[in-house]
Amino acid sequence: MTKPGAPHHHAHHRQHPGSGSGCAGWRRRNYVLVLGVLVGVLVVNMLLLMPQLHASDSWRLVGFTSHGGGATTGASSGAPASGRGGGSSGRGAGGVGGRGAASADGDFVGAHDADHDGVLGRAEFDALVQEACLNDRASLPLLRRAVRFVRLALGRPPGARRGGYPCTLRGELADTARRAAAALTGWGRRSGGGGGGSGGSGGAAGGAAREGAAAAQQQHAAALDPDSPEGKAAARAAALLAGCSPLTPELAAAAVRGGTTLLVAAADWSMFEVFGVNWLAHVQRAGGANYLLAALDQRTADFMRNNRLGRCVTWSAGAGPAAGGAGPLPQQAPPYEPGSAAHRAASWAKLGVSSVLLGWGYDVVASDLDVVWRADPGPALAGLPRAADVVIASDAPAPRHELAAHAPGLLTAPGAAGGALNPGVALLRATPPARALLAEWLAAAARAEEDGGDAAAAGPGGAGAESPGFPTPVLRAWLAGQRARAAPHPAAPGVLQLPAPRRGGLLGGLRPRRAGLGVFSQLAVANSYAWAVQRVGGAPGARRAAGGGALPLAVHFSRGGASLEARLHRMREAQWYADGPRYYSEPGLMSFALSRYAGPALLAGAAPGARPGALLALHVASLAHELSQFYAAAAVAAALGRVLVLPAFTCWCYADPDGGPGGPPPRLVSEAGAAGGWSCRAPGDASSALPFNCSLDAVLAPAALYAHAPLFAGRPLNFREAGFLHHPRTPSWVRHAATAVRSGDPAGCEPGPGGAPGRCAQALPGKPPPGTNQQVVVPRGLTDGELAALLAPWGGSKHLRFDDVAEVWGGFDSPVAAAEYDAWLAGAVRPWCCKPGPPSGPGEAASALPGWTYVNLTARPPPGSAAAAGGGASGAAAAAGPAAAAGRR
């Protein structure tokens, strides 16, 4: 019997459903809580992005506040927020070497010189470095973005990004080392300028804690007692490295830590302005600790010295290696001109510096500034055979077996690449044969200079660094003369044994041992053809070396044309140029969908085993189809005042960037002869897949685009490189928040005069597809004025994407504008170069080099468009013909 007041077992049984209901409620509360957290994270993420989505010129972007085109970091910097690109795609509106709106004299880094004193002060240079190194908020993880947002809200600088791109250029030495150096050199009594005094530069604070190549040296100097012999020695080394002085054994010894190999580059301002900071940033990002940069004019030396970049030596090209480079420097080198005397002297300077360092017992890796280093060359190249006294890069395509390799090294058949040697990257070991070879090459350069260097440099067929008298042709000619006496090394595959030149002096009759010559494989040092067309190393960042480093170790942007603009743009296409954050987040973009060619030439040209003639016909037809769309897109972008994202054009035939109506460069002639004919791949490449994405210089002249000349009615074309929307630094709201514009029959238009169809734009209702904010329909065949008027309501859109720009475009309101535009295109579209034999097809013409033919390409209005029907635009483009093509480079 149940006791009074005790719960009955049936009552206990009835409590179970209640307990289950409570458990379910607890679960529901958890679900709601988790959902609330997720929604909160998304809301916070959007709130953190809202200031950037609606950024105006007054918003502080990664430490920069724009005021009327200028910008400040903290309270003292005056660097422009637009960084290198300004409001355009290049170095200010004036392009390379031009006069632009970004700076009074059109200088690249000069755009950051707020007080126009010719020197970047501490705050000015800090702003430049932050733009070169730091990512914008939209590309950072949520937590880091929140921290940066709070710091900016409190008025504090965002700080260096840890774990990403190490921003080490601002702080080469720690505070302790700077104070010791100041005591020795008197820097502590200076003020202003480069941020002297015991405080050092703005980047000195916390320098020892930063990632990068200089961290070990900073910590070592900071840990020493300044009064001890070791501390004083470290202070002297710090003083030597912090300035920019003539090359001495003491400075070389201070620059080498943990090895005996030095990376050496040389540049005057015409090259340093474009590639200098980028080269330094990539060397330090790759962990390169032992390097020196030789300044060939006073402006470069002042820039390195006043900004405490360190590791700088002055080198007088006129004095040369015999005087150790000691001599007066020109105030500033003349503007870059391919094949000029200044260009030639700068090309030899790095080898002159190398010869002095070899004499002091240091191995040297000589590098041009248009090289992107992806690994520290000292450790990465230490495993090459010691029998190789000299190892040189090559402009030849990668052999087929190298495309599947996984380790950098030497070409197994270096003799085959002798005609394509390029000393833009060269490993020179401190051995008697290497010193003798280098002395012989420098002597050949001196003889060429005495025989009339300017006349030689302008010789037939030469292009920039391949002109006679430059290191590249001198080395190739020397090797051609030695080929009969060359023999494979018996114990070192990939090394050629060559007779070393005789030494002078009392022992002039003696020779050092035979010299060992190797050629870098494309997995060690790739040229831009091997990287961009053959995809050596796989997709960017996909192929890794055994030690975890990226392959190839370095990419030399040779085979990319003689102009600086061509190499600069190839770096941007490879996503390896250190542009500022504003370059990626600037509003006002325009992109368009490029339809591929599908005409009759595709059947014959794309068939397996197609002959080169059929491939070339397909190449010309395909580019004509794509250039007609570019014709419309560039006109629309200029009419709307938007920044055009260039498309990836399709190439079925390789076009040599140094060739044109004047004929192919000597390299292409010799390679085609060695290959036994011609094909639509570069000579020596038999395996690359066709088609491939063209580099810009294969279709358009980069110099013409980077000049930012008016296309029509005073409107320039500002642009971004192909692949810009997929760049990791491009914010997601640029990539995925486009306003899509397409042609059609918009509803609700009021009839025009005489009952003609009305002209209006309609925003489609309903949910847009993923990656699209809004869909807009406009009539077909709009003129430039009509487009500007109809799309004015969407003028604030960050990104306009045209789905069928060729249908939307209908021509110009003014015949004068059409003529101006066609004249610009006639100088911007490059001809295809070159095939051996006489002209045999449409558009083909004999080049200035007998026996070689080029094909003239033109950009015409889209077929069926109002502009094509009017005939004015297409007629002007056709009339330009071969005569206009002669000026395209």
Side-chain angles (χ1 to χ4, degrees):
M1 178 179 290
T2 305
K3 294 182 180 180
H8 194 272
H9 69 278
H10 294 295
H12 177 72
H13 177 73
R14 287 194 299 269
Q15 288 177 359
H16 285 291
S19 63
S21 175
C23 184
W26 179 81
R27 289 195 185 97
R28 283 195 296 270
R29 287 193 296 273
N30 279 352
Y31 294 151
V32 171
L33 180 62
V34 171
L35 182 61
V37 170
L38 292 176
V39 172
V41 169
L42 291 176
V43 170
V44 171
N45 188 47
M46 290 303 300
L47 288 176
L48 294 178
L49 279 177
M50 287 299 288
Q52 186 146 308
L53 285 168
H54 301 284
S56 65
D57 285 340
S58 62
W59 173 250
R60 192 170 191 176
L61 186 67
V62 197
F64 295 88
T65 304
S66 175
H67 298 288
T72 60
T73 299
S76 59
S77 174
S82 58
R84 301 190 174 169
S88 67
S89 59
R91 298 154 50 207
V96 180
R99 299 181 65 85
S103 62
D105 56 0
D107 289 330
F108 188 49
V109 296
H112 296 264
D113 186 10
D115 51 12
H116 304 293
D117 61 353
V119 175
L120 291 188
R122 171 178 59 83
E124 294 169 337
F125 184 72
D126 286 352
L128 184 154
V129 172
Q130 287 194 47
E131 287 209 13
C133 295
L134 294 181
N135 287 346
D136 55 80
R137 291 189 306 279
S139 66
L140 296 178
L142 174 63
L143 180 59
R144 189 169 294 156
R145 193 185 308 154
V147 172
R148 180 163 294 184
F149 181 84
V150 172
R151 291 179 66 90
L152 289 174
L154 296 177
R156 300 177 63 185
R161 177 189 177 202
R162 295 182 178 274
Y165 205 125
C167 208
T168 63
L169 296 181
R170 292 186 298 161
E172 182 66 25
L173 303 170
D175 282 341
T176 304
R178 287 185 184 278
R179 285 194 291 270
L184 288 175
T185 63
W187 287 347
R189 294 186 293 274
R190 300 184 184 181
S191 62
S198 60
S201 74
R210 279 200 196 95
E211 301 91 350
Q217 181 175 339
Q218 294 172 8
Q219 295 170 358
H220 173 73
L224 295 175
D225 180 3
D227 296 327
S228 67
E230 295 82 3
K232 293 180 178 179
R236 291 189 180 92
L240 286 171
L241 289 179
C244 191
S245 56
L247 182 61
T248 62
E250 293 77 14
L251 195 155
V256 176
R257 290 185 59 86
T260 60
T261 302
L262 268 171
L263 175 64
V264 172
D268 56 30
W269 188 253
S270 68
M271 288 292 291
F272 186 90
E273 179 192 17
V274 185
F275 301 118
V277 171
N278 195 67
W279 186 85
L280 290 170
H282 279 283
V283 168
Q284 294 193 14
R285 184 184 187 183
N290 301 339
Y291 66 88
L292 287 174
L293 191 143
L296 306 182
D297 58 9
Q298 195 61 47
R299 183 163 187 182
T300 305
D302 288 343
F303 181 87
M304 297 288 290
R305 181 185 298 114
N306 292 325
N307 292 297
R308 298 292 190 266
L309 283 181
R311 298 184 174 275
C312 170
V313 299
T314 57
W315 184 268
S316 172
L329 300 181
Q331 182 60 34
Q332 182 173 332
Y336 175 81
E337 183 66 32
S340 65
H343 182 201
R344 189 167 58 254
S347 298
W348 282 105
K350 67 179 183 295
L351 296 178
V353 176
S354 300
S355 68
V356 175
L357 293 170
L358 290 182
W360 294 340
Y362 298 103
D363 294 345
V364 174
V365 177
S367 169
D368 284 347
L369 278 194
D370 60 343
V371 175
V372 170
W373 285 98
R374 309 177 71 215
D376 184 356
L381 301 178
L384 296 181
R386 296 301 301 180
D389 301 291
V390 176
V391 185
I392 301 178
S394 168
D395 279 342
R400 180 179 303 190
H401 66 273
E402 281 196 27
L403 298 178
H406 290 268
L410 303 180
L411 287 181
T412 55
L421 291 182
N422 189 323
V425 178
L427 170 62
L428 306 164
R429 288 190 163 125
T431 61
R435 290 193 289 267
L437 287 180
L438 187 52
E440 176 65 20
W441 296 337
L442 292 171
R447 291 193 296 269
E449 199 70 26
E450 293 173 358
D451 293 340
D454 289 329
E466 293 194 4
S467 300
F470 278 71
T472 295
V474 167
L475 265 63
R476 291 176 183 176
W478 178 87
L479 183 59
Q482 302 294 320
R483 188 166 296 167
R485 294 179 287 174
H489 195 285
V495 178
L496 280 180
Q497 287 187 315
L498 302 170
R502 295 181 183 274
R503 293 178 294 185
L506 296 177
L507 300 178
L510 299 179
R511 294 181 186 269
R513 65 175 175 83
R514 290 171 65 84
L517 175 69
V519 178
F520 285 118
S521 70
Q522 296 296 337
L523 274 181
V525 179
N527 56 61
S528 59
Y529 179 86
W531 170 257
V533 177
Q534 294 184 291
R535 309 305 297 168
V536 167
R543 188 73 61 84
R544 315 293 294 180
L551 291 177
L553 307 176
V555 176
H556 183 203
F557 284 84
S558 57
R559 292 196 85 133
S563 71
L564 298 183
E565 296 89 346
R567 284 172 277 170
L568 164 65
H569 196 82
R570 285 200 176 199
M571 286 186 181
R572 281 177 166 160
E573 289 176 333
Q575 302 181 355
W576 284 338
Y577 196 75
D579 285 297
R582 237 344 236 283
Y583 182 84
Y584 303 97
S585 59
E586 186 178 49
L589 293 175
M590 175 192 147
S591 63
F592 68 101
L594 185 70
S595 69
R596 304 301 178 182
Y597 174 76
L602 185 63
L603 297 177
R611 299 179 62 85
L615 276 172
L616 180 56
L618 172 58
H619 176 74
V620 172
S622 174
L623 279 184
H625 174 74
E626 294 181 356
L627 281 172
S628 70
Q629 299 169 73
F630 172 77
Y631 182 104
V636 170
L640 299 179
R642 287 192 164 266
V643 179
L644 178 65
V645 180
L646 295 174
F649 291 104
T650 305
C651 275
W652 289 88
C653 271
Y654 168 71
D656 192 276
D658 290 322
R667 165 177 40 79
L668 184 62
V669 177
S670 61
E671 288 178 350
W678 76 284
S679 73
C680 274
R681 299 177 179 89
D685 175 16
S687 58
S688 293
L690 296 178
F692 56 88
N693 289 338
C694 311
S695 296
L696 177 71
D697 51 74
V699 182
L700 301 171
L705 269 68
Y706 276 88
H708 298 288
L711 275 63
F712 58 89
R715 300 171 182 172
L717 175 66
N718 297 323
F719 60 93
R720 295 291 185 265
E721 67 278 3
F724 173 82
L725 295 176
H726 304 289
H727 197 292
R729 294 186 63 191
T730 301
S732 58
W733 52 263
V734 172
R735 294 195 297 266
H736 305 305
T739 297
V741 181
R742 63 175 176 85
S743 65
D745 299 314
C749 298
E750 296 182 1
R759 297 288 204 180
C760 70
Q762 177 193 8
L764 296 181
K767 182 180 179 181
T772 303
N773 272 347
Q774 196 173 24
Q775 292 178 293
V776 178
V777 178
V778 297
R780 295 174 177 83
L782 297 175
T783 64
D784 57 327
E786 291 172 334
L787 263 172
L790 292 184
L791 293 179
W794 293 273
S797 174
K798 303 287 186 180
H799 177 199
L800 287 183
R801 186 184 69 234
F802 283 79
D803 295 333
D804 54 352
V805 69
E807 295 292 329
V808 171
W809 174 248
F812 295 92
D813 290 325
S814 165
V816 175
E820 291 175 347
Y821 184 56
D822 290 330
W824 178 83
L825 278 172
V829 180
R830 296 189 69 245
W832 180 87
C833 176
C834 287
K835 71 169 187 176
S840 60
E844 295 187 3
S847 71
L849 189 65
W852 288 84
T853 295
Y854 73 95
V855 182
N856 185 53
L857 301 174
T858 56
R860 303 175 183 271
S865 67
S874 60
R888 305 175 205 164
R889 292 303 293 272

